[in-house]
Amino acid sequence: MDEEPTPPVTMTTPVQFLPGVGTFRAKKFSRLGLRTAQDVLFFFPRDYERPAPPKSVDQLRDGEQASLIGVVTEVDLMSRSPGKSVFGAVVQNQTGAVRILFFNQPYRADQIKVDERVVISGTPKLSGLRMEFVHPQVTVLEADDDFPEPKILAIYALTEGVKQHDLRHLAGNVLEALGDQLHEVMPEQLRADSADALRAAGIQIEGPLDEIQTAVRQLHQPDNEESLQAARIRLVFQELLVMQLALAMRRRKLTSDLQSPPLSPTAVIDARILNRFPFELTNDQRQAIREVSQDMACQFPMNRMLQGDVGSGKTVVAVYAMMLAVANGHQAVMMAPTEVLARQHFETLGKILKDSRVRIGLLCGSISRAERAATIAATAAGEIDLLVGTQALLYGDIQFKKLGLCVIDEQHKFGVGQRVTLRSGGVDPHYLVMSATPIPRSMAMTLFGDVELSTLREKPPGRATVNTYLAHDGWKERWWSFVRDRLKEGRQAFVVAPRVVPVTKTELSDSEEEEGEDISSVQTVFEQLKTGVLSDFRIGLLHGRMTAEEKLATMQAFASGAIDVLVSTTVIEVGIDVPNATVMTILGAERFGLAQLHQLRGRISRGSHVGYVCVFSDGDSPPSENERLSLFEKTNDGFELAEADFEMRGPGDLLGRKQSGMAPLRIADPRRDIEILRVARQIAQAMIEVDPELEDAELQDLKTQVMRRYGKRLDLGDVA
Ligand code: ADP
Ligand code: MG
């Protein structure tokens, strides 16, 4: 039979025309995003199988990871009932025999057959007289596979109908056809310099970075651990470099056509401002103020994030920056996410600036129309120096006479795409963004490449500690009696629950539905406490479905002590300062994120009294069995918790990538690759400094990559 001559494989050859694929299988591969030969080359393994050096049967120990090579001598597939099966096999070699077992994986019978040579790897258990591996990794050896030289095998992400073996084969074929044609985008010098910088940062790597051909090949089919490592570093570095180049270009683009007023501190101004604070600044506050002052003295806008745990004293730094603007004849604006917080800032500023000439204005939902109009007019006329308000109001078209600084408080959602644009008279204000959700450095560098970071780690002295307890079954009674005692002493208490109203079963999605479970709601809890254990105290209710006025009235009643207990959803999360509140009960705690829990806890560390938090969960398992909650109990350091949250859940929950506008990473993991990230950032910044638009002829391919990945996302359009 005549076969049509196969056209040569190129990077753009569709997967279906690759050797041994065809339409049927191409469809399956396409579910993994594999459409062309090139896609296959860049479909990087998600992990590797590293068979431990094979052992003999008598060396196996119960509970110790091991691998073994042998021949399958018996197989047995037992179907007990539909959907329930046990597949067992005996694997034998000169040193003895072991049993392997798979539950509900009947397809193992197709994979593991009598007389086949296999490597099994897993953790054996002694069962009777024989070692038994339950669900081990099994690699069927091909006739010409030589052992005992254990190969590192790629593990790819799979989809239904595609097996590890299929992908290894496919990748192998494409590598053979195209591996040498991969196009290098990093010139030799850059590879050498980058490797030097990586070494200087303590990363183990020999010689220059791998060429792309070597790197891609070694990633799919590593010769050994070292070559795999070198390949990974090269590709991780490239991915991060491309990202950091994009961020550096964006920063330049943003700042080169922006003009800000240089607002410099003088010794007199500095002394005058510091005199206004009734306490000594912490070292971290001083350092942050230095950083802010340096930025503000420049002609291009500051873009700085000030992060610090709740109570670390961020306001002081903001006030300093605002007064610096005012002292230089400019206006400053401070935005808060909620009305309550805006008012609180307004009052704080009023106290600090009492008897000074600084004029302060407030804009928020609950002030009268006339007052609002007057404030807006005064702002435009330059008769107000400091304007405080809620974001909602300030995003409108407020005109400033001479705006020099914009402070944004409690901003958790600040991504590269989200710079607010407040302008006045053709100049751009400096920006200071404050966040109490500490962002791990690695994430900050990835997501906010164009934002500088100042950090307050140290807390002001005299802060009371907070004790955190994870409730056990049967604690409720004791806990409430403890709460009652604190209330009788004159303290106040928070009770936090995840929902506003109770849910009925039908409202729950299937995944959420659990036997007999009720999600705590503030409404239910409020009723229960009011008629139950706390009936002799004054209880208030606060949640997001109330109007701004209702919320404000309730908060004020709590702040003034007219209410003893505030039952609330997480609307209290942000910035509230009620030093007399020292007890907090968190219900349904498993529904909150670590960062959120920590924010909540921050509410009761405002004063000088010791605070107490008790955490209850809704489900059947006690809070202590929840990894997040256990960590919450163990540490009071917001940064440590943020790092852990990031480790456990990835950046997605804390700050979504979508929201930040960054492309997903294919191979780099900022958590693991933080050091490489640092070096990539440093090199990218240096490159953009000498060659702002990457015009060097040698760098054109790299630039094309930057633009392809980030051009649209970061609006680098006219850089190209
Ligand atoms: P946050 O960082 O949560 O916004 P704040 O700025 O509200 O914290 O500060 C919390 C409290 O600590 C405030 O009552 C503030 O007056 C006080 N504070 C700030 N800095 C210091 C300091 N250096 N020494 C003593 N108290 C301070
Ligand atoms: Mg604050």
Side-chain angles (χ1 to χ4, degrees):
M1 212 166 58
D2 271 354
E3 277 195 17
E4 275 188 47
T6 6
V9 174
T10 68
M11 291 290 175
T12 53
T13 302
V15 166
Q16 85 176 89
F17 299 126
L18 294 174
V21 180
T23 18
F24 179 70
R25 312 188 61 195
K27 224 184 201 143
K28 301 196 157 165
F29 287 130
S30 79
R31 276 193 236 134
L32 294 167
L34 304 176
R35 301 206 157 73
T36 64
Q38 173 159 306
D39 293 341
V40 177
L41 287 180
F42 289 94
F43 186 66
F44 296 139
R46 65 169 168 77
D47 202 354
Y48 296 87
E49 198 172 299
R50 298 178 167 85
K55 288 191 167 166
S56 60
V57 173
D58 58 357
Q59 287 172 315
L60 297 178
R61 296 282 169 270
D62 191 319
E64 268 177 36
Q65 218 255 325
S67 79
L68 192 83
I69 304 173
V71 173
V72 179
T73 55
E74 278 173 44
V75 292
D76 186 12
L77 177 64
M78 290 165 279
S79 269
R80 283 203 204 117
S81 55
K84 292 209 166 168
S85 70
V86 183
F87 173 75
V90 174
V91 175
Q92 186 150 20
N93 64 19
Q94 306 89 306
T95 65
V98 298
R99 193 168 164 72
I100 61 177
L101 279 176
F102 293 93
F103 299 99
N104 298 320
Q105 300 186 358
Y107 61 87
R108 293 288 180 180
D110 303 330
Q111 183 195 8
I112 300 163
K113 294 180 180 148
V114 169
D115 285 344
E116 250 161 351
R117 254 187 0 126
V118 294
V119 188
I120 57 178
S121 127
T123 308
K125 277 211 165 327
L126 194 59
S127 166
L129 291 176
R130 209 171 241 188
M131 283 294 184
E132 196 170 83
F133 288 78
V134 176
H135 293 189
Q137 284 195 32
V138 177
T139 312
V140 178
L141 297 175
E142 317 229 329
D144 54 353
D145 271 337
D146 243 352
F147 260 79
E149 188 57 56
K151 258 197 238 164
I152 303 175
L153 291 176
I155 299 176
Y156 298 92
L158 297 180
T159 181
E160 209 191 312
V162 177
K163 297 197 175 119
Q164 246 357 299
H165 180 76
D166 301 332
L167 276 168
R168 287 178 188 157
H169 239 75
L170 183 67
N173 282 340
V174 178
L175 273 175
E176 197 165 313
L178 298 174
D180 297 335
Q181 293 174 36
L182 276 162
H183 182 65
E184 180 61 79
V185 301
M186 288 177 68
E188 201 175 336
Q189 191 63 47
L190 180 56
R191 277 185 282 122
D193 293 347
S194 304
D196 286 342
L198 287 165
R199 263 189 293 279
I203 290 157
Q204 302 235 331
I205 177 174
E206 271 178 44
L209 289 180
D210 273 358
E211 281 181 69
I212 189 71
Q213 290 94 330
T214 314
V216 169
R217 186 179 292 279
Q218 288 299 319
L219 212 70
H220 288 285
Q221 301 180 338
D223 287 335
N224 53 50
E225 209 60 60
E226 291 72 43
S227 64
L228 171 58
Q229 208 38 38
R232 206 182 160 268
I233 290 174
R234 145 78 209 225
L235 290 162
V236 166
F237 182 81
Q238 179 178 335
E239 182 165 49
L240 294 173
L241 180 70
V242 165
M243 167 197 265
Q244 293 297 324
L245 281 169
L247 288 168
M249 284 164 99
R250 177 189 152 89
R251 173 146 180 77
R252 254 202 89 88
K253 180 172 176 284
L254 272 183
T255 51
S256 65
D257 48 60
L258 291 185
Q259 277 282 322
S260 292
L263 307 169
S264 351
T266 62
V268 177
I269 294 178
D270 181 68
R272 244 198 296 156
I273 302 178
L274 291 182
N275 264 337
R276 293 253 158 211
F277 299 122
F279 37 67
E280 285 282 302
L281 301 195
T282 65
N283 288 328
D284 283 355
Q285 282 171 329
R286 276 178 224 279
Q287 173 65 21
I289 284 174
R290 261 197 300 279
E291 290 162 354
V292 167
S293 308
Q294 260 165 25
D295 284 4
M296 285 176 64
C298 293
Q299 271 183 354
F300 54 84
M302 164 166 79
N303 197 17
R304 184 168 285 278
M305 178 182 286
L306 174 64
Q307 58 168 359
D309 228 338
V310 175
S312 57
K314 296 183 290 294
T315 316
V316 166
V317 180
V319 170
Y320 187 102
M322 290 193 287
M323 285 159 78
L324 187 57
V326 174
N328 276 275
H330 283 75
Q331 291 167 296
V333 59
M334 186 173 200
M335 303 186 183
T338 64
E339 164 122 19
V340 175
L341 211 55
R343 279 189 180 270
Q344 200 167 289
H345 281 315
F346 179 68
E347 276 157 31
T348 307
L349 283 170
K351 270 184 230 153
I352 296 177
L353 298 174
K354 203 162 163 251
D355 303 325
S356 79
R357 279 168 302 172
V358 181
R359 296 155 300 181
I360 315 172
L362 174 67
L363 269 191
C364 59
S366 61
I367 63 172
S368 73
R369 219 169 243 270
E371 246 179 300
R372 187 183 313 175
T375 304
I376 291 176
T379 305
E383 287 153 13
I384 280 179
D385 302 300
L386 295 184
L387 182 63
V388 182
T390 51
Q391 263 149 30
L393 277 176
L394 289 167
Y395 277 122
D397 47 0
I398 306 260
Q399 278 296 319
F400 290 86
K401 179 134 190 272
K402 223 177 166 192
L403 183 60
L405 172 71
C406 173
V407 176
I408 306 175
D409 191 19
E410 299 294 350
Q411 180 73 302
H412 311 295
K413 301 186 172 76
F414 184 73
V416 278
Q418 291 190 310
R419 204 183 148 90
V420 212
T421 40
L422 277 179
R423 298 183 127 220
S424 81
V427 295
D428 294 86
H430 296 282
Y431 277 89
L432 180 64
V433 174
M434 304 199 283
S435 171
T437 307
I439 296 160
R441 195 131 210 134
S442 54
M443 186 156 66
M445 275 197 285
T446 342
L447 301 180
F448 317 114
D450 57 353
V451 178
E452 308 295 330
L453 206 57
S454 291
T455 301
L456 304 183
R457 265 205 110 112
E458 177 190 6
K459 299 244 163 97
R463 304 253 115 205
T465 49
V466 178
N467 298 322
T468 304
Y469 308 100
L470 302 186
H472 304 290
D473 272 353
W475 256 43
K476 276 210 165 128
E477 209 172 302
R478 267 171 68 200
W479 172 250
W480 288 118
S481 107
F482 177 83
V483 174
R484 290 175 56 88
D485 288 346
R486 299 288 82 70
L487 293 173
K488 280 183 212 148
E489 285 171 12
R491 303 285 83 75
Q492 287 165 283
F494 287 106
V495 179
V496 185
R499 286 190 60 95
V500 179
V501 290
V503 245
T504 57
K505 274 275 161 95
T506 46
E507 280 179 67
L508 284 173
S509 67
D510 286 347
S511 63
E512 248 180 307
E513 189 164 342
E514 284 161 45
E515 232 8 67
E517 190 200 32
D518 264 328
I519 300 174
S520 300
S521 75
V522 286
Q523 224 125 55
T524 320
V525 172
F526 176 68
E527 293 303 330
Q528 282 169 353
L529 293 176
K530 215 166 89 165
T531 53
V533 276
L534 301 181
S535 58
D536 42 347
F537 296 96
R538 296 160 301 175
I539 308 184
L541 178 63
L542 185 74
H543 57 71
R545 292 196 194 166
M546 292 160 55
T547 65
E549 288 81 47
E550 286 170 335
K551 276 191 272 188
L552 187 64
T554 308
M555 263 325 297
Q556 277 171 344
F558 189 62
S560 70
I563 289 176
D564 303 304
V565 181
L566 188 62
V567 179
S568 166
T569 54
T570 52
V571 285
I572 50 151
E573 198 184 318
V574 171
I576 300 309
D577 201 352
V578 182
N580 191 45
T582 59
V583 198
M584 178 175 283
T585 311
I586 304 179
L587 303 165
E590 72 276 21
R591 288 176 200 278
F592 297 112
L594 257 180
Q596 214 174 10
L597 287 166
H598 187 61
Q599 288 268 329
L600 286 170
R601 175 163 60 187
R603 301 297 126 238
I604 54 163
S605 60
R606 313 296 285 189
S608 49
H609 303 285
V610 178
Y612 303 91
V613 185
C614 190
V615 166
F616 292 88
S617 60
D618 280 339
D620 288 335
S621 47
S624 54
E625 281 175 21
N626 180 307
E627 193 183 1
R628 249 179 314 132
L629 296 179
S630 301
L631 203 74
F632 175 62
E633 181 194 30
K634 257 183 246 131
T635 174
N636 214 342
D637 179 337
F639 284 88
E640 214 173 291
L641 290 173
E643 291 283 354
D645 219 14
F646 188 46
E647 286 290 324
M648 278 187 247
R649 312 198 292 176
D653 289 86
L654 198 51
L655 293 146
R657 266 195 196 115
K658 258 200 204 110
Q659 167 181 285
S660 74
M662 298 308 292
L665 294 167
R666 287 168 176 217
I667 182 166
D669 176 349
R671 292 171 277 183
R672 178 170 51 170
D673 301 319
I674 174 86
E675 290 306 326
I676 303 180
L677 177 57
R678 279 210 178 95
V679 175
R681 178 177 171 81
Q682 171 198 321
I683 289 188
Q685 282 174 348
M687 283 169 76
I688 294 303
E689 203 148 296
V690 297
D691 183 6
E693 312 212 335
L694 291 183
E695 284 169 334
D696 185 333
E698 290 233 289
L699 298 176
Q700 290 320 293
D701 295 327
L702 189 60
K703 179 175 176 177
T704 305
Q705 257 200 22
V706 173
M707 297 311 294
R708 211 182 280 148
R709 281 212 100 186
Y710 293 102
K712 263 224 193 80
R713 290 173 201 270
L714 296 189
D715 194 19
L716 297 174
D718 41 292
V719 177

